[in-house]
Amino acid sequence: LYSHLNIDQIDYVTGAPSAIKKTSEFFLFWNGFPEGKVHARNIIFDTITHKTRAINKILDKANPTHLIMIGDN
């Protein structure tokens, strides 16, 4: 599904706590998702704060010309 896209970077931002980050990584791998960095939530932040901060850091660092965002809910 993703092989025809010219993708430089894939990031997964999840509201799941960092304590189960490995579970999220395993789920992505097992289900054939492209390799990418998983940004799990530090328990001191609520989900919305975490996702907003993580996405802003990704955008600041990568400065993409194109961006595809897909939400899970």
Side-chain angles (χ1 to χ4, degrees):
L1 176 66
Y2 306 98
S3 60
H4 71 283
L5 298 174
N6 184 17
I7 298 175
D8 294 326
Q9 175 180 333
I10 293 183
D11 290 89
Y12 298 97
V13 178
T14 177
S18 57
I20 62 168
K21 179 180 176 181
K22 292 290 183 195
T23 303
S24 298
E25 291 171 336
F26 179 76
F27 172 86
L28 294 168
F29 170 78
W30 185 258
N31 288 286
F33 284 83
E35 190 174 333
K37 182 174 181 180
V38 175
H39 303 266
R41 179 176 58 87
N42 184 315
I43 60 170
I44 65 170
F45 296 116
D46 62 271
T47 300
I48 294 192
T49 300
H50 160 68
K51 287 185 175 185
T52 302
R53 289 170 57 108
I55 291 168
N56 282 329
K57 285 181 183 179
I58 293 165
L59 294 176
D60 288 345
K61 183 178 177 184
N63 195 21
T65 55
H66 294 82
L67 176 68
I68 299 170
M69 297 178 73
I70 301 170
D72 61 349
N73 56 19

